[in-house]
Amino acid sequence: MRDRETVASIQMLAEQDRVILIYRHRSGGEEWKDEQYPVRIVRTPCNLGGSRSWFICPALGCGRRVAILYGGDIFACRHCYRLAYASAREDTGDRAARCADRLRARLGWEPGILNGEGGKPKWMRWRTFERLAAKHDQFVTRSMQAVALKFGPLVSDFPF
Ligand SMILES: [Zn+2]
């Protein structure tokens, strides 16, 4: 939930040696996207008896045995998120913020998207101003979305 609005939900079907993740997600008012895929579970014996459960990371080409999966658009281990998703998202956010700053310079606004919007420069035509301000708004939205995508952990210690 974010601002009393559902931004994501998840269901888990537990089977003998895997769990099926079924969820929908969306970002920034886009359409909901359905996901459904299995995550394999393996067990290793504990010293004092019993066993411990692990996820096998479902990301393509990974297959690491891990205790925690991180939820973004897909669930994956921290190695995968650090290598691929995290950096891709940071890049997207940074790039959008830089583009916004270039527009702010043309508009004579204070640098930094968190500093709000200034007015129309005296010498600028309204049509140009409106076009640049609308573009600026798009870049700010894109940058904020990249920052807002947080990873929530899904821990393997659930009973079944
Ligand atoms: Zn992985």
Side-chain angles (χ1 to χ4, degrees), residues 100-126:
D101 261 342
R102 272 202 291 278
L103 289 169
R104 296 181 75 86
R106 283 180 68 184
L107 288 159
W109 295 355
E110 195 182 342
I113 58 172
L114 297 178
N115 288 321
E117 303 188 0
K120 183 184 86 64
K122 266 201 196 102
W123 45 267
M124 190 177 277
R125 288 160 59 168
W126 273 106

Side-chain angles (χ1 to χ4, degrees), residues 13-50:
L13 296 180
E15 296 181 356
Q16 183 64 28
D17 55 0
R18 64 180 196 170
V19 57
I20 316 283
L21 301 182
I22 304 164
Y23 59 95
R24 333 176 67 189
H25 61 86
R26 70 170 175 181
S27 54
E30 287 168 25
E31 290 294 296
W32 286 100
K33 227 182 136 215
D34 289 300
E35 302 279 0
Q36 176 170 346
Y37 52 85
V39 177
R40 279 180 55 217
I41 305 279
V42 294
R43 291 183 180 80
T44 53
C46 297
N47 287 326
L48 300 172

Side-chain angles (χ1 to χ4, degrees), residues 57 59 62 64 77 80:
C57 174
C62 179
R64 283 184 177 84
C77 73
C80 290

